[in-house]
Amino acid sequence: MLKRNLSLFKIDCFLCGFWPLSAVAIIYFALITKSYTTAMLVFSVLNIMQSISELPAGIISDKLGRKLTLISGTTAIFIGYLLWAISGHIDNITFLFLGSLFVGFGNASLSGTDNAIIYETLEDLSSEHDFDCTYSANKSFEQLGFCLSAALAALAYYYGNISVLAWLSVVPALLRIVVVSLIIEPTRNIRSKETPWNHFIKSWMIIWHKPKLFKLAAITSIHHSLNAANWRFIGAYYQTLISPWMINIVRVFQEFMGFIGFCTIKFVRKFQSLQLLFASISLNAFIKLIGLALNTAITPFIMASSTIMYGISLTVENTLLQQQFTDRQRATLGSVISLLGNIMCLIVFTLTGIIADIYSPYAAISIIIVARLIIGMIYPFVLKKK
């Protein structure tokens, strides 16, 4: 029976990726707020709420169970997407920020818990050594969801308007609640009897006293914030080069390349982890820089092709983290690291919006990509020592 979790994980990942508004969310928010800075502030509020909720959600997951946490998280995301759709319909900024609070809480509930329940399910099946392949397979379905939703979004945007995409995004969010409610709780989820405060302190101490985990947590948090800023804001840059409806065509190509990237994990896993991280992150940034240098209508497609490297880097990062986590604090440790990443996101998101308003979206994206290239270059040097 537990094996059905593996199929449900894939379905949930597909529905998670099936978010038609994703490619043009920054444009949708800017139309309502009339400012890139305020539009990026919507994402900042989302990350503030996610940061506040990360640790409580991780502790709840470790103490009360993965399934309950997943259900509460997907329900919150559904409510948030619904409020975003209503916000565009009535042109109300308040609903936009209120929706961000719900989505932020939902993301926090899923953060750490999703990877923890995958790892524990594999442990129950005595297949934890296949975490990287299982993780990449799940993520490939998420990329497929992004790809198909972007294709649908292109049609809806061309024949309708951007508000239609916000309403279409509500449907898969509702279906996710049904899917996660069918998941079976793994027996390896050992629920600690210690107090939440002690559980929290012990999680921090584990990170502090494990040098490799500490360094991995720090650099992964920085990389996460740069990835998130690029993903959230790239549509604003693309809009300066191509028509808004074409952005979804680019996103179809981008997510298909991401799908291929995750599918290659079983072929490249034989290489050393740090070598894969260095190569995948650096190549991703280098390809994007080539597109920026051209700065023409072909640029979005060149930059989108770099996503084939994203699947490799993300899988290696998460596999390294799961190998360093303990069973009793697995979700909380994931939430602690996600918290660090969200704190960095608050800074990076705000700076991105300010730079775009003062200079241009081109300048903002250029800085993000150069920073990611630097991360790729220093990753192996930071982690090579035990």
Side-chain angles (χ1 to χ4, degrees):
M1 288 292 289
L2 195 62
K3 283 187 176 181
R4 82 176 186 187
N5 279 7
L6 302 179
S7 298
L8 291 172
F9 294 152
K10 291 182 174 65
I11 297 173
D12 180 57
C13 282
F14 174 82
L15 293 173
C16 176
F18 199 79
W19 180 30
L21 186 65
S22 62
V24 291
I26 181 65
I27 300 173
Y28 176 69
F29 294 160
L31 286 173
I32 299 172
T33 63
K34 309 299 187 295
S35 164
Y36 281 132
T37 300
T38 309
M40 287 303 286
L41 185 59
V42 174
F43 290 121
S44 295
V45 169
L46 187 159
N47 281 85
I48 290 173
M49 184 60 184
Q50 184 169 345
S51 299
I52 295 172
S53 306
E54 284 284 4
L55 295 177
I59 293 172
I60 290 172
S61 177
D62 280 332
K63 295 182 69 63
L64 299 182
R66 312 298 188 210
K67 183 174 180 177
L68 177 63
T69 310
L70 289 175
I71 292 174
S72 63
T74 50
T75 301
I77 290 174
F78 164 71
I79 296 173
Y81 283 5
L82 181 61
L83 289 171
W84 281 351
I86 295 173
S87 176
H89 184 70
I90 64 176
D91 200 25
N92 187 295
I93 296 179
T94 301
F95 275 54
L96 203 60
F97 284 102
L98 186 60
S100 293
L101 294 177
F102 277 96
V103 176
F105 173 77
N107 288 344
S109 298
L110 302 182
S111 173
T113 298
D114 50 3
N115 289 336
I117 194 170
I118 293 172
Y119 196 88
E120 288 163 354
T121 296
L122 291 173
E123 279 189 318
D124 277 357
L125 297 172
S126 300
S127 301
E128 62 271 22
H129 56 281
D130 288 328
F131 175 81
D132 55 349
C133 288
T134 302
Y135 177 86
S136 62
N138 292 341
K139 284 297 181 179
S140 70
F141 273 79
E142 183 178 37
Q143 294 296 313
L144 188 59
F146 277 129
C147 183
L148 294 179
S149 69
L152 175 63
L155 292 173
Y157 199 122
Y158 186 77
Y159 291 105
N161 59 64
I162 198 168
S163 296
V164 174
L165 303 182
W167 285 105
L168 287 174
S169 298
V170 175
V171 179
L174 177 61
L175 293 176
R176 289 189 72 189
I177 303 173
V178 178
V179 172
V180 298
S181 66
L182 299 175
I183 288 176
I184 300 173
E185 190 86 31
T187 58
R188 289 299 181 97
N189 177 21
I190 306 170
R191 302 179 189 180
S192 173
K193 295 181 179 179
E194 62 191 357
T195 65
W197 175 252
N198 288 337
H199 190 82
F200 163 68
I201 293 298
K202 186 173 291 185
S203 298
W204 272 106
M205 294 304 293
I206 288 173
I207 294 177
W208 184 259
H209 290 295
K210 296 182 72 172
K212 184 174 182 179
L213 179 57
F214 179 81
K215 290 185 289 185
L216 186 59
I219 195 169
T220 298
S221 299
I222 297 172
H223 190 216
H224 165 77
S225 67
L226 294 171
N227 270 335
N230 178 82
W231 192 77
R232 300 290 192 190
F233 193 76
I234 196 69
Y237 169 58
Y238 288 166
Q239 187 181 217
T240 66
L241 302 173
I242 57 178
S243 300
W245 73 269
M246 276 290 294
I247 295 175
N248 284 298
I249 301 298
V250 174
R251 185 56 66 92
V252 172
F253 176 64
Q254 173 181 306
E255 305 308 341
F256 180 71
M257 295 301 290
F259 172 77
I260 294 175
F262 280 111
C263 290
T264 62
I265 289 299
K266 60 183 177 181
F267 302 108
V268 302
R269 64 188 305 205
K270 61 182 178 181
F271 295 102
Q272 204 258 347
S273 296
L274 294 184
Q275 292 176 341
L276 282 177
L277 270 181
F278 170 74
S280 58
I281 295 175
S282 299
L283 283 174
N284 182 295
F286 183 70
I287 293 171
K288 280 184 166 65
L289 286 175
I290 293 175
L292 279 174
L294 294 174
N295 198 37
T296 64
I298 196 65
T299 290
F301 292 94
I302 294 175
M303 297 179 73
S305 67
S306 68
T307 312
I308 195 170
M309 296 291 122
Y310 171 73
I312 297 174
S313 63
L314 186 64
T315 300
V316 174
E317 281 179 337
N318 279 279
T319 301
L320 288 173
L321 286 171
Q322 290 298 322
Q323 290 172 350
Q324 295 294 315
F325 291 170
T326 60
D327 287 335
R328 288 184 181 275
Q329 285 85 20
R330 189 170 299 280
T332 304
L333 286 168
S335 293
V336 168
I337 292 173
S338 184
L339 168 62
L340 296 176
N342 287 327
I343 292 173
M344 286 300 303
C345 281
L346 298 180
I347 300 172
V348 175
F349 282 10
T350 302
L351 291 176
T352 300
I354 292 174
I355 293 171
D357 278 334
I358 296 177
Y359 298 101
S360 67
Y362 178 88
I365 286 297
S366 297
I367 292 173
I368 290 172
I369 294 173
V370 170
R372 292 181 66 191
L373 181 60
I374 294 173
I375 288 293
M377 296 175 66
I378 68 173
Y379 231 130
F381 297 102
V382 172
L383 300 178
K384 66 180 179 180
K385 294 182 178 180
K386 296 289 184 182

